[in-house]
Amino acid sequence: MRINLKFIDKDKQYKFFGFLVKVAFHIKKHFYDCKVINYPKGLDGCLFAMWHSRQCGVYGIPEREKLHCLISNSKDGEIIATAAESLGIKTVRGSAQRGGAKASLEILDVLKENNNVAITIDGPRGPKEIVKKGIVEIAKISGKPIVPMAWDNPGRGFMKLKTWDEFCFPLFCKKLCLLCGNPIYVNKDADDDEIEKIRKKIEDDLTMLYNEVHKNFLEYYKNGTNPYKNSSK
């Protein structure tokens, strides 16, 4: 995401855009209808795996009081963090390039408290839709499962930005579906070969989930549930 308003200095630009994103989400919540399919109930904490381009899908995850979202320490990440925190979603700041070790330790602490963590597994700089193995390593250490999740509407209404990931923001899509895959567990003694197999499985599961929710959107939307209906959150 590239932001450049020549008449405002850089720090003020990011604060300004953070404010705009925060306002946009607070307006949108009054017109938002996301149906959730196959949500993994009864887990004592998990790692939600999603593509960087579809990170707005965290808004549809139930049990928001348990949800933490990994967001990079970049200026762009500050915009996203501002919006997430304004919606009651806690954040963990860091990435492989900035504060990765500290963020990993914080994620492990969050999972120990039986909370959930959402991670954009091809971020923060790509390559697009290539899972990085960090989430698998965290699952191995923590013993918590990875839950792939896909969020889509096959119709028009997404604003697609000219970024490396083709970031999508739902402008007019009132009807959305969030489809969760089956939990993926990683053995504590998993070697490099097993970690690579699981990394590839996450990629394959996400591709399958997006194709599935795109193809059968109307059926899923009809049979899903909206956890925030009649809610002030």
Side-chain angles (χ1 to χ4, degrees), residues 155-222:
R156 298 179 179 179
F158 279 108
M159 178 177 69
K160 185 178 290 187
L161 303 183
K162 293 182 179 180
T163 55
W164 66 267
D165 62 339
E166 297 183 297
F167 184 88
C168 292
F169 184 86
L171 288 176
F172 310 111
C173 296
K174 179 183 178 182
K175 297 180 179 180
L176 296 156
C177 274
L178 188 154
L179 177 61
C180 296
N182 294 324
I184 301 170
Y185 288 87
V186 184
N187 292 327
K188 289 189 178 295
D189 59 351
D191 58 17
D192 290 345
D193 289 340
E194 182 65 18
I195 288 173
E196 173 57 24
K197 288 179 182 178
I198 294 172
R199 188 201 67 78
K200 186 62 170 62
K201 175 175 173 52
I202 298 168
E203 280 184 10
D204 294 341
D205 283 6
L206 280 170
T207 298
M208 180 273 293
L209 289 170
Y210 274 108
N211 289 338
E212 182 70 17
V213 73
H214 191 87
K215 180 181 178 180
N216 299 306
F217 175 82
L218 292 178
E219 179 181 350
Y220 281 127
Y221 182 83
K222 179 180 179 181

Side-chain angles (χ1 to χ4, degrees), residues 31-39 57 59-62 149-153 173-180 213 216-229:
F31 306 95
Y32 188 87
D33 188 10
C34 181
K35 298 298 181 67
V36 180
I37 310 293
N38 199 32
Y39 182 75
Y59 189 72
I61 298 177
M149 52 164 278
W151 170 81
D152 198 20
N153 179 310
C173 296
K174 179 183 178 182
K175 297 180 179 180
L176 296 156
C177 274
L178 188 154
L179 177 61
C180 296
V213 73
N216 299 306
F217 175 82
L218 292 178
E219 179 181 350
Y220 281 127
Y221 182 83
K222 179 180 179 181
N223 295 324
T225 60
N226 182 351
Y228 298 115
K229 186 175 183 180

Side-chain angles (χ1 to χ4, degrees), residues 56-70:
C56 288
V58 298
Y59 189 72
I61 298 177
E63 300 181 300
R64 195 179 296 163
E65 69 282 358
K66 293 177 56 178
L67 182 62
H68 294 66
C69 188
L70 176 63

Side-chain angles (χ1 to χ4, degrees), residues 27-97:
I27 292 174
K28 185 170 180 55
K29 71 181 181 181
H30 299 291
F31 306 95
Y32 188 87
D33 188 10
C34 181
K35 298 298 181 67
V36 180
I37 310 293
N38 199 32
Y39 182 75
K41 297 179 180 179
L43 294 180
D44 292 327
C46 72
L47 293 152
F48 288 108
M50 58 187 176
W51 295 133
H52 194 273
S53 63
R54 298 302 176 106
Q55 60 188 279
C56 288
V58 298
Y59 189 72
I61 298 177
E63 300 181 300
R64 195 179 296 163
E65 69 282 358
K66 293 177 56 178
L67 182 62
H68 294 66
C69 188
L70 176 63
I71 299 174
S72 75
N73 272 324
S74 67
K75 291 290 188 179
D76 291 348
E78 190 64 33
I79 295 174
I80 299 168
T82 298
E85 289 168 358
S86 74
L87 298 170
I89 299 172
K90 302 176 184 67
T91 60
V92 177
R93 303 300 302 275
S95 65
Q97 290 77 27

